[in-house]
Amino acid sequence: MNENSQDDFRFDFSNYTTVQKTELIEELMETYGESLVRLAYTYAKDWGKAEDIVQEVFLACFLKLHTFRGEASLKNWLYRIAINRCHDHVRSWSFRNIILTNRMMQFIKHHTASPELTVVKNEESIKLRTAIFQLPLKYRETFILYYHEDLSIREIGSLLDTKEATIKSRLHRARRLLELSLNKERE
């Protein structure tokens, strides 16, 4: 399934057999699994927990596929489930009481460059990721969904059940906070 075929799945899944549902879930996992893990990581800040959350998302999708109403694409439905699971995780007692490690994901792909350039890019990347993860959750999730997941403001508004104007202001505020944080780091 490619990105353009997500609209092909806007129909009734209530008559799907277990085999058909399993095949669909496998296809969705292959198409969206990596993106959902990255999204979950922005909340959980732990790769193992992010993978657990995404497993829960696909399990919920399998169990609740018959409830899919087709008001949005399956991609948006999966993202909404993932965001809800992530919010549940962030609100959980264990998340609030565990000291989070500073393991950051590598957003940029490795390519051959001079050692000096590699070091500089890695340092800048770490500073940027650190600044992003220090943003308050409502700004961080909006920023990640917009810039990393390439979702439109309308899609983000739909996923977060928030007005588009609010999404725009959160993006603006996130950029300003990042700019302030990175400028402070340079001083």
Side-chain angles (χ1 to χ4, degrees), residues 141-178:
E141 72 183 350
T142 304
F143 188 87
I144 296 290
L145 289 170
Y146 185 78
Y147 287 105
H148 187 66
E149 298 299 327
D150 294 323
L151 297 178
S152 70
I153 289 174
R154 175 171 285 160
E155 289 173 316
I156 297 168
S158 174
L159 285 173
L160 300 178
D161 196 26
T162 305
K163 294 179 182 176
E164 289 180 35
T166 303
I167 298 300
K168 289 178 185 178
S169 67
R170 285 181 183 176
L171 281 172
H172 177 74
R173 182 76 173 139
R175 287 188 293 261
R176 289 203 25 126
L177 289 171
L178 283 174

Coordinates of all heavy atoms in Angstrom, one line a residue, residues 141-178:
E141 N 4.3 17.9 20.1 CA 3.5 17.0 19.2 C 3.1 17.7 17.9 O 3.2 17.1 16.9 CB 2.3 16.5 20.0 CG 1.2 17.4 20.2 CD 0.1 16.8 21.0 OE1 0.0 15.6 21.2 OE2 -0.8 17.6 21.4
T142 N 2.7 19.0 18.0 CA 2.4 19.7 16.8 C 3.6 19.9 15.9 O 3.5 19.7 14.7 CB 1.8 21.1 17.2 OG1 0.7 20.9 18.1 CG2 1.3 21.8 16.0
F143 N 4.7 20.2 16.5 CA 5.9 20.4 15.7 C 6.3 19.2 15.0 O 6.6 19.2 13.8 CB 7.0 20.9 16.6 CG 8.3 21.4 15.9 CD1 8.4 22.6 15.4 CD2 9.3 20.5 15.7 CE1 9.6 23.0 14.8 CE2 10.5 20.8 15.1 CZ 10.6 22.1 14.6
I144 N 6.3 18.0 15.7 CA 6.7 16.8 15.2 C 5.8 16.3 14.1 O 6.2 15.9 13.0 CB 6.8 15.7 16.2 CG1 7.9 16.0 17.3 CG2 7.1 14.3 15.7 CD1 9.3 15.9 16.8
L145 N 4.5 16.4 14.3 CA 3.5 16.0 13.3 C 3.6 16.9 12.0 O 3.5 16.3 10.9 CB 2.1 16.1 13.9 CG 1.7 15.1 14.9 CD1 0.4 15.5 15.6 CD2 1.7 13.7 14.4
Y146 N 3.9 18.1 12.2 CA 4.0 19.0 11.0 C 5.3 18.8 10.3 O 5.3 18.6 9.0 CB 3.8 20.5 11.4 CG 3.8 21.4 10.3 CD1 2.6 21.6 9.5 CD2 4.9 22.2 9.9 CE1 2.6 22.5 8.5 CE2 4.8 23.1 8.9 CZ 3.7 23.2 8.1 OH 3.6 24.1 7.1
Y147 N 6.4 18.9 11.0 CA 7.7 18.9 10.3 C 8.3 17.5 10.1 O 9.0 17.3 9.1 CB 8.8 19.7 11.1 CG 8.5 21.2 10.9 CD1 8.0 21.9 12.0 CD2 8.8 21.9 9.8 CE1 7.7 23.3 11.9 CE2 8.5 23.2 9.6 CZ 8.0 23.9 10.7 OH 7.7 25.3 10.5
H148 N 8.0 16.6 11.0 CA 8.6 15.3 10.8 C 7.7 14.3 10.1 O 8.1 13.5 9.3 CB 9.1 14.7 12.2 CG 9.8 13.4 12.0 ND1 11.1 13.4 11.4 CD2 9.5 12.2 12.4 CE1 11.5 12.1 11.4 NE2 10.6 11.4 12.0
E149 N 6.4 14.4 10.4 CA 5.5 13.5 9.8 C 4.8 14.1 8.5 O 4.0 13.4 7.9 CB 4.4 13.1 10.8 CG 4.9 12.3 12.0 CD 5.6 11.0 11.6 OE1 5.2 10.4 10.6 OE2 6.5 10.6 12.3
D150 N 5.1 15.3 8.2 CA 4.6 16.0 7.0 C 3.1 16.0 6.9 O 2.5 15.9 5.8 CB 5.2 15.3 5.7 CG 6.7 15.5 5.6 OD1 7.2 16.6 6.0 OD2 7.4 14.6 5.2
L151 N 2.5 16.2 8.1 CA 1.0 16.3 8.0 C 0.6 17.8 7.9 O 1.3 18.7 8.3 CB 0.4 15.8 9.3 CG 0.6 14.3 9.6 CD1 0.0 13.9 11.0 CD2 0.0 13.4 8.5
S152 N -0.5 18.0 7.2 CA -1.0 19.4 7.0 C -1.6 19.9 8.3 O -1.9 19.1 9.2 CB -2.0 19.4 5.9 OG -3.2 18.8 6.4
I153 N -1.7 21.2 8.4 CA -2.3 21.8 9.6 C -3.8 21.3 9.8 O -4.2 21.0 10.9 CB -2.3 23.3 9.4 CG1 -0.9 23.8 9.6 CG2 -3.2 24.0 10.4 CD1 -0.7 25.3 9.3
R154 N -4.5 21.1 8.7 CA -5.8 20.5 8.8 C -5.8 19.1 9.3 O -6.6 18.8 10.2 CB -6.5 20.5 7.4 CG -7.9 19.8 7.4 CD -8.6 20.0 6.1 NE -9.0 21.4 6.1 CZ -9.4 22.1 5.1 NH1 -9.3 21.5 3.9 NH2 -9.8 23.3 5.2
E155 N -4.9 18.3 8.9 CA -4.8 16.9 9.4 C -4.4 16.9 10.9 O -4.9 16.1 11.6 CB -3.7 16.1 8.6 CG -4.1 15.8 7.2 CD -3.0 15.1 6.4 OE1 -1.9 15.6 6.4 OE2 -3.3 14.1 5.7
I156 N -3.5 17.7 11.2 CA -3.1 17.8 12.6 C -4.2 18.3 13.5 O -4.5 17.7 14.6 CB -1.9 18.8 12.8 CG1 -0.6 18.2 12.1 CG2 -1.5 18.9 14.3 CD1 0.5 19.2 12.0
G157 N -5.0 19.3 13.0 CA -6.1 19.7 13.7 C -7.2 18.6 13.9 O -7.7 18.5 15.0
S158 N -7.3 17.8 12.9 CA -8.3 16.7 13.0 C -7.8 15.6 14.0 O -8.5 15.1 14.8 CB -8.4 16.1 11.6 OG -9.2 14.9 11.6
L159 N -6.5 15.3 13.9 CA -5.9 14.3 14.8 C -6.0 14.7 16.2 O -6.3 13.9 17.1 CB -4.4 14.0 14.4 CG -4.2 13.2 13.2 CD1 -2.7 13.2 12.9 CD2 -4.7 11.8 13.4
L160 N -5.7 16.0 16.5 CA -5.6 16.5 17.9 C -7.0 17.1 18.3 O -7.1 17.5 19.5 CB -4.5 17.5 18.0 CG -3.1 17.0 17.7 CD1 -2.1 18.2 17.9 CD2 -2.7 15.8 18.6
D161 N -8.0 17.0 17.4 CA -9.3 17.6 17.7 C -9.1 19.0 18.2 O -9.6 19.4 19.3 CB -10.0 16.8 18.8 CG -11.5 17.1 18.8 OD1 -12.0 17.6 17.8 OD2 -12.1 16.9 19.9
T162 N -8.4 19.8 17.4 CA -8.0 21.2 17.7 C -8.3 22.1 16.5 O -8.1 21.6 15.4 CB -6.5 21.3 18.2 OG1 -6.3 20.4 19.2 CG2 -6.2 22.7 18.6
K163 N -8.6 23.3 16.7 CA -8.8 24.2 15.6 C -7.6 24.5 14.9 O -6.5 24.5 15.4 CB -9.4 25.6 16.1 CG -10.8 25.5 16.8 CD -11.2 26.8 17.3 CE -12.6 26.6 17.9 NZ -13.0 27.9 18.5
E164 N -7.7 24.7 13.6 CA -6.5 25.0 12.7 C -5.8 26.2 13.2 O -4.5 26.2 13.2 CB -6.9 25.1 11.3 CG -7.4 23.8 10.6 CD -7.8 24.0 9.2 OE1 -7.2 24.8 8.5 OE2 -8.7 23.2 8.8
A165 N -6.5 27.2 13.6 CA -5.8 28.5 14.1 C -4.9 28.1 15.3 O -3.8 28.7 15.5 CB -6.8 29.5 14.5
T166 N -5.4 27.3 16.2 CA -4.6 26.9 17.4 C -3.4 26.1 16.9 O -2.3 26.3 17.5 CB -5.5 26.0 18.3 OG1 -6.7 26.7 18.6 CG2 -4.8 25.6 19.5
I167 N -3.5 25.2 15.9 CA -2.4 24.5 15.4 C -1.3 25.5 14.9 O -0.1 25.4 15.2 CB -2.8 23.5 14.4 CG1 -3.7 22.4 14.9 CG2 -1.6 22.8 13.7 CD1 -3.2 21.6 16.1
K168 N -1.8 26.5 14.1 CA -0.9 27.5 13.6 C -0.1 28.2 14.7 O 1.1 28.4 14.6 CB -1.6 28.4 12.7 CG -2.1 27.8 11.4 CD -2.8 28.9 10.6 CE -3.4 28.2 9.3 NZ -4.2 29.2 8.5
S169 N -0.9 28.6 15.7 CA -0.2 29.4 16.8 C 0.7 28.5 17.6 O 1.8 28.9 18.0 CB -1.3 30.0 17.7 OG -2.0 29.0 18.4
R170 N 0.4 27.2 17.7 CA 1.3 26.3 18.4 C 2.6 26.1 17.6 O 3.7 26.0 18.2 CB 0.6 24.9 18.7 CG -0.4 24.9 19.8 CD -1.0 23.6 20.0 NE -2.0 23.6 21.0 CZ -2.7 22.6 21.4 NH1 -2.6 21.4 20.8 NH2 -3.6 22.7 22.3
L171 N 2.5 26.0 16.3 CA 3.6 25.9 15.5 C 4.5 27.1 15.6 O 5.7 27.0 15.7 CB 3.3 25.6 14.0 CG 2.9 24.2 13.6 CD1 2.3 24.2 12.2 CD2 4.0 23.3 13.8
H172 N 3.9 28.3 15.5 CA 4.6 29.5 15.7 C 5.3 29.6 17.0 O 6.5 29.9 17.1 CB 3.6 30.7 15.5 CG 4.3 32.0 15.7 ND1 5.1 32.6 14.7 CD2 4.2 32.9 16.7 CE1 5.6 33.7 15.2 NE2 5.0 34.0 16.4
R173 N 4.6 29.2 18.1 CA 5.2 29.3 19.4 C 6.3 28.3 19.5 O 7.3 28.6 20.2 CB 4.1 29.0 20.4 CG 4.5 29.1 21.9 CD 4.7 30.5 22.3 NE 5.0 30.5 23.7 CZ 5.9 31.3 24.3 NH1 6.5 32.1 23.6 NH2 6.1 31.2 25.6
A174 N 6.1 27.1 19.0 CA 7.2 26.1 19.0 C 8.4 26.6 18.3 O 9.6 26.4 18.8 CB 6.7 24.8 18.4
R175 N 8.3 27.2 17.2 CA 9.4 27.7 16.4 C 10.1 28.8 17.3 O 11.4 28.8 17.3 CB 9.0 28.2 15.1 CG 8.7 27.1 14.1 CD 8.5 27.7 12.7 NE 7.3 28.5 12.6 CZ 6.1 28.1 12.1 NH1 6.0 26.9 11.7 NH2 5.1 28.9 12.0
R176 N 9.3 29.6 17.9 CA 9.9 30.7 18.7 C 10.7 30.1 19.9 O 11.8 30.6 20.2 CB 8.9 31.7 19.1 CG 8.4 32.5 18.0 CD 7.8 33.8 18.4 NE 8.2 34.3 19.6 CZ 8.7 35.5 19.8 NH1 8.9 36.3 18.8 NH2 9.1 35.9 21.0
L177 N 10.1 29.2 20.6 CA 10.7 28.6 21.7 C 12.0 27.8 21.3 O 13.0 27.9 22.0 CB 9.8 27.6 22.4 CG 8.6 28.2 23.2 CD1 7.6 27.1 23.6 CD2 9.1 29.0 24.4
L178 N 12.0 27.2 20.2 CA 13.2 26.5 19.7 C 14.3 27.5 19.3 O 15.4 27.3 19.7 CB 12.9 25.7 18.4 CG 12.2 24.3 18.7 CD1 11.8 23.7 17.4 CD2 13.1 23.4 19.5

